[in-house]
Amino acid sequence: MTTATRRTLAFVDWTLRPDQDDDAPPLTYAFRCLTLTEDDAECAAKSPASEDPAEPQTWVFDHMREHPEHTSYAEVIERPWVMWRGCPS
């Protein structure tokens, strides 16, 4: 004998937004070196991540002092995001 089961489905809207709650991870900044080496691989050296965007910029100048030919960089920004469950539709 088979028993029919009734189910109620609720459709929910989700919202993605930057996480700005008090317990959210901090926004961090870093730079990585994009300069290609002799074997066409990226240098890939990377500054430490910092909540202060100026600190990684200092690392860029230090890295270029050690490697004067390394003149191409990418900024790496890590911004926490969170999904919020909205009202049923």
Side-chain angles (χ1 to χ4, degrees):
M1 178 172 176
T2 337
T3 308
T5 305
R6 292 188 137 198
R7 295 185 184 169
T8 302
L9 300 177
F11 294 94
V12 178
D13 287 329
W14 287 90
T15 303
L16 176 64
R17 69 167 177 81
D19 191 349
Q20 297 173 332
D21 293 342
D22 292 339
D23 61 347
L27 177 67
T28 59
Y29 304 87
F31 275 93
R32 66 185 176 91
C33 182
L34 300 176
T35 303
L36 298 178
T37 61
E38 292 175 8
D39 61 352
D40 282 339
E42 278 186 16
C43 167
K46 186 176 175 183
S47 73
S50 172
E51 293 178 43
D52 177 0
E55 286 183 24
Q57 292 174 13
T58 301
W59 174 88
V60 170
F61 285 94
D62 292 342
H63 185 72
M64 198 178 79
R65 268 189 220 96
E66 293 176 27
H67 309 279
E69 68 283 5
H70 291 206
T71 57
S72 185
Y73 297 86
E75 184 177 28
V76 180
I77 300 172
E78 187 168 308
R79 179 184 324 270
W81 288 72
V82 64
M83 292 291 293
W84 281 90
R85 186 176 178 168
C87 299
S89 51

